[in-house]
Amino acid sequence: MDSIWLDGVEWLAVLRIGLGLWWLESWRHKDKKGWFERGTGIAWAADVAAKHKWNAVRSGFGAVVTPRPKVMAYIVVYAELALGLGLVAGLLTPVALVGGLLLNLLYLVLMIHDWAEQGQNAMMALISLVALFAMSWQTWSLDAAIGLFL
């Protein structure tokens, strides 16, 4: 593979790290006090789910998220932090990539009518797939340094 400035595996690491920084920004800009104390994030998602045209989304949200809004708020917020840290550091990278892909797909399905969010979730999911199948943890990662997933 020919490339400019860096070699191909290094560009894949840049892509992985960039995705991790995107997750960290998603975590950083969240109003954690609102999410944890007032339940704003889950309340917003519940409103979106309640109006969703797919029954599976409405009933799935009602069964999984609605009974435990505080726990789900912590799961969502800290999942984004964990994904960001894992991808930037390259620690348990395949796990982080699959987890991020699944979270983006959940966001994509939940917000199917919110076109402002769809581009971000689609692009993050695509980057996750490329980084996963190209094994982007081969360089500039703790996984490579300790010999995981090679």
Side-chain angles (χ1 to χ4, degrees):
M1 165 192 258
D2 292 330
S3 64
I4 297 171
W5 192 38
L6 301 173
D7 65 26
V9 72
E10 291 170 333
W11 280 119
L12 289 167
V14 168
L15 188 66
R16 180 199 81 231
I17 292 165
L19 179 61
L21 292 172
W22 202 341
W23 278 116
L24 287 174
E25 176 56 21
S26 291
W27 172 80
R28 186 198 65 79
H29 85 264
K30 277 193 174 29
D31 173 11
K32 281 115 184 135
K33 191 172 187 174
W35 271 74
F36 300 146
E37 293 177 17
R38 296 186 312 278
T40 56
I42 298 301
W44 171 82
D47 184 56
V48 172
K51 298 173 187 170
H52 207 284
K53 70 177 185 175
W54 297 341
N55 185 48
V57 172
R58 289 191 309 272
S59 61
F61 194 94
V64 176
V65 181
T66 301
R68 49 192 76 79
K70 212 169 215 8
V71 170
M72 295 308 294
Y74 280 93
I75 288 172
V76 169
V77 171
Y78 286 110
E80 291 183 357
L81 175 62
L83 291 169
L85 292 174
L87 293 171
V88 168
L91 181 63
L92 301 175
T93 310
V95 175
L97 289 167
V98 169
L101 175 62
L102 293 174
L103 192 54
N104 279 125
L105 292 176
L106 281 171
Y107 290 170
L108 191 74
V109 169
L110 178 63
M111 298 178 281
I112 199 78
H113 303 296
D114 186 349
W115 294 107
E117 290 287 329
Q118 296 305 49
Q120 172 178 314
N121 289 304
M123 288 303 97
M124 290 177 81
L126 176 62
I127 293 168
S128 293
L129 276 176
V130 169
L132 179 66
F133 291 129
M135 298 171 52
S136 64
W137 54 89
Q138 294 177 64
T139 193
W140 298 349
S141 73
L142 292 174
D143 290 338
I146 58 178
L148 285 177
F149 309 112
L150 299 179

